[in-house]
Each structure stands twice: as structure tokens, then as C-alpha cells.
Amino acid sequence: MATPRLAGKVAIITGGTRGIGAAATERFLEEGARVSAWCTNPDNCTDWSAALSAQYPGMLSIAQVNVANRAQVDAAVAQVLAAWGTIDILVNNAGITRDKGFLKLSTEHWQEVLDINLTGTFHCTQAVMPTLVEKGYGRIVNVSSCVGRYGNFGQANYAATKAGLIGYTQTLAKEFSPKGITINAVAPGFIATDMVMAMPEKVIDKIKERTPLGRLGTPHDVANSYLFLASDEASYITGAVLDVNGGWQSF
């Protein structure tokens, strides 16, 4: 039997209890990692987390963290270190949308998306980086989006954060790759999460028409890309942006 790809590793996955994040938590556990899955409301995932904890005893912890709050991030990182002694992997998966046409976009909704998607990623990365630098090893996966590549109507705030994460990823890769830490981004396309499936059916059909593979992605399609970049199989990849979009591009 092959050795699990993340055997002995400790991972933090923000937004790790729903959608793509939940799929990533499951995949990382399957591959031998201990996972601290962060969320804003643990009460929404009690059955899911209980089932996984029973399947993988001692391997999963759930933490209530608002990544925009630096004190909460620092406290959660300290708890991981106290419980498991180290951190190897950070997946900056947490993100929100507050979609509006540009002239209707409020300063509040602009700032709220920046605070979670961009500043939250900064908080989490900076909080774990001293541990990664000290051990001379780390894997960081930042979650961008096809919208950060191509833009999308009504998502100026979201697109700005996801485009910003690409520049952020490439900059930190230059700074920290010499210290043994790879930093990459994943840019998902349209994935069959609750948020996307709430779109009108005609919009979903149009997305499928514009996707060469002819379907929406699944959360596990994206989770597998996180897993690859977090594993030693990707040890010579850094500063990259991996598109997981079925070939979709804006038209």
C-alpha cells in the first residue's frame, strides 16, 4: 500500500467545513494529514465533523475563526501548535462574495470582501510563516478564482481580491521559496457549490456551454488540486497559478 501523501503533516484549511473547503479537509485526512478546519460557525457542521472525527480519531479539529480578525487567527494558530507541535500546510480557502453592479456597490461591501479574501489571507499567512521558516519547510495554497483572471459582471470587489491574491502569491514565492516554502495559487472556475447552484438555471446552462468540458466542477476537483500542491509531488512548483476551470474563459 502506498504511503499517504500527507502522512505526518499538519494542515490548516480556512473555510474548511463547507463546499470546496470541506472536500479539501476530507481529502487531506484521507491522505494522512492532521487538519485544523476553520469556520465562522461550527454549529453548522456538527454532524459532518463528528462523522469525520469518528473515522479519523485525533486527526481533525474545528476552530471558530474570522480570518479578518488577527487576534482570532493568532489564537487559533497557537492552539494548533499547542495541540500538534507544528504546522506544515496552510490552505487559504476562506472567501466571501457581496455581488453588486459597480454603481450599486457600497463601500461596506467592498471593504467586507477585501477584509476576508485578501486581508484574511495576509493574517493567516503571516501567523504561520515563522513556524514554516524555522523548520525550513512549508506548503501554502492561496485560493484565487477564474474571476481574478478574467473579471465578471457584478463582482468588482471579489475580482479585485482574487486578482490581488495572484500577485500576492507570486511575490511571497520569491521571498520565501529559498527558505523551503512553496507558495502557489489555485484559480477555480464555476464549481457546484451551494453558492453557484443558487444561480438561475439558465445562467448555469450558459456557463456549461462556455466550458469545454461541458460541466461544472465538483468541490473534489478543486480539493485534489490543493492536495497536489500541498504534497511533495509539487516540490518544484512555486509561484504558480493552477487553473481548475474545465477550460472555461470569459467571453
Side-chain angles (χ1 to χ4, degrees):
M1 180 179 294
T3 301
R5 285 183 278 180
L6 301 182
K9 298 293 193 291
V10 172
I12 292 171
I13 302 177
T14 70
T17 65
R18 296 183 61 191
I20 296 169
T25 294
E26 293 166 9
R27 288 294 289 121
F28 279 39
L29 288 168
E30 289 170 4
E31 291 292 341
R34 287 171 286 179
V35 178
S36 179
W38 294 4
C39 64
T40 55
N41 190 352
D43 292 339
N44 289 338
C45 67
T46 52
D47 291 344
W48 172 84
S49 61
L52 281 180
S53 294
Q55 187 175 0
Y56 303 99
M59 302 290 282
L60 174 65
S61 69
I62 305 294
Q64 183 172 359
V65 184
N66 176 358
V67 296
N69 184 316
R70 182 58 185 263
Q72 290 185 21
V73 169
D74 287 343
V77 167
Q79 289 173 358
V80 173
L81 291 172
W84 291 332
T86 193
I87 297 166
D88 301 285
I89 300 161
L90 169 66
V91 180
N92 284 307
N93 175 78
I96 63 170
T97 57
R98 297 290 184 267
D99 297 348
K100 289 285 184 181
F102 183 72
L103 293 179
K104 296 180 179 180
L105 180 60
S106 68
T107 300
E108 179 184 5
H109 282 169
W110 171 269
Q111 193 62 51
E112 189 176 358
V113 172
L114 262 67
D115 286 346
I116 297 294
N117 297 4
L118 202 53
T119 304
T121 295
F122 163 74
H123 287 163
C124 296
T125 308
Q126 197 171 65
V128 305
M129 193 62 81
T131 298
L132 306 186
V133 169
E134 182 179 2
K135 69 189 299 181
Y137 176 91
R139 299 281 184 268
I140 296 176
V141 180
N142 297 319
V143 182
S144 181
S145 168
C146 64
V147 173
R149 293 281 215 182
Y150 307 112
N152 197 35
F153 182 88
Q155 291 193 302
N157 48 1
Y158 184 76
T161 63
K162 295 303 185 177
L165 283 173
I166 292 174
Y168 173 86
T169 296
Q170 293 169 337
T171 297
L172 292 195
K174 288 179 170 61
E175 187 169 347
F176 290 101
S177 295
K179 302 181 185 299
I181 302 161
T182 65
I183 305 171
N184 294 289
V186 172
F190 289 91
I191 309 301
T193 60
D194 291 343
M195 180 177 68
V196 170
M197 297 311 294
M199 293 178 174
E201 186 176 355
K202 64 180 181 180
V203 174
I204 294 175
D205 289 343
K206 193 68 172 178
I207 291 168
K208 291 178 181 178
E209 288 175 11
R210 292 180 173 181
T211 302
L213 285 180
R215 65 174 177 87
L216 300 178
T218 71
H220 277 83
D221 288 328
V222 184
N224 284 329
S225 71
Y226 296 179
L227 173 62
F228 169 65
L229 291 173
S231 75
D232 288 339
E233 295 169 2
S235 63
Y236 199 58
I237 301 173
T238 195
V241 183
L242 177 57
D243 292 306
V244 185
N245 62 16
W248 183 91
Q249 293 188 13
S250 179
F251 288 86

